[in-house]
Amino acid sequence: ATYHWDDRNQLKENSFYLQEVYEVILRELSEYLNIIHGTKHNLRYWRIIIGPWLSVFIPILFDRWVMLDKAINENEIKTCHILVNKNKTTYAEDYSQAVKFFAEDKWNEEVYSQLLNIFFSKNISIERILIKFSTKKDNTEIPTKNIKKEIINIIGKFNKLFPRDDEYFFKSTYLYLLTDLQLQLKLKQIPRIWKSIPTPTAKPNEKIRQWRGESKNTIDFFTIVRRLIPLHIPMAYLEGYKGMIECANSSPWPQQPKAIFTSNDHLSNDMFKIWAAKKIEKGVPLVIGQHGGHYGMTPYSFHENHEITIADKWLSWGW
């Protein structure tokens, strides 16, 4: 099938449309998460936590749906074989694992199968093949050692000394290490370099994965997103949310920081996002620094829009 986004005007038009879809779904999903978790958090709180995942998941799902529809409509396809996993569905634990899944054949096979089952089965004969996907995790880690990491580890040990809950919080700033430390000194605080906190493990709970959102009987992309979110939303936002809150509350990170500064953790670090969202909701300023290129160079960028929307101050090294 010809690729739909080879038409760059179509890409631009769809990007604006998908931003609209994102805003609608974000509001609906935030309301559901408040109900499930018995909370009353505002939209900005949930935007900080689930926004990065949702802003990636929606365009990817749209791409898969459009290409599947094109393949079927542009060809005489009457039968399709799909793989059925003998194991239970594997949900991503957090944002980082979800992004890894997006690039894997297993996940894409699963998404195409779900789309075929739910939205195309009336017109196509579907034959299912049972297969057992491996659920083993790749824990291979290449040992690395450098002076910077050693310095960070040494400084990290001093974080437990002279604890203060009202300091400026610096995490993954992308500044040079010396610059980071000098800036903290100028703010009249003992320089600290905080380590990331691992995401607590959780077990899937199918009962709370029944969200369907506000859908009509028609089949459009909104319907597709609402049907597939419960099948793919990471456990950190559902089953593992309570454990993450408890972990954030007991973390060594300051409980009443003057401000929060990061250049990366607002995207991929779910423990940081859950910890920070609570502080920000209480009025703590969030400062985000630019962490890569492409900014200001295109009229459509989900990450750029997301960062500027959630930040109180957004710092660029050049526009």
Side-chain angles (χ1 to χ4, degrees), residues 31-65:
E31 291 174 4
Y32 178 72
L33 291 173
N34 272 329
I35 293 171
I36 285 293
H37 300 308
T39 57
K40 295 182 180 180
H41 295 300
N42 59 33
L43 182 63
R44 185 186 182 191
Y45 175 93
W46 290 114
R47 186 188 297 274
I48 290 170
I49 294 172
I50 66 174
W53 171 77
L54 195 62
S55 69
V56 177
F57 176 73
I58 287 176
I60 288 177
L61 183 61
F62 181 82
D63 175 75
R64 306 303 188 266
W65 172 59

Side-chain angles (χ1 to χ4, degrees), residues 226-287:
R226 290 166 181 142
R227 288 292 300 273
L228 265 68
I229 278 180
L231 303 177
H232 295 281
I233 185 170
M235 290 189 289
Y237 314 138
L238 282 177
E239 298 92 341
Y241 177 78
K242 183 178 179 181
M244 295 187 72
I245 289 294
E246 293 173 352
C247 191
N249 291 338
S250 61
S251 74
W253 297 351
Q255 295 303 310
Q256 297 176 324
K258 289 186 176 71
I260 299 168
F261 176 38
T262 186
S263 291
N264 184 262
D265 279 10
H266 59 285
L267 291 176
S268 59
N269 189 330
D270 281 322
M271 275 305 308
F272 170 85
K273 288 184 288 187
I274 280 185
W275 172 87
K278 182 179 179 181
K279 312 303 176 191
I280 294 163
E281 196 173 39
K282 293 182 177 180
V284 176
L286 173 64
V287 182

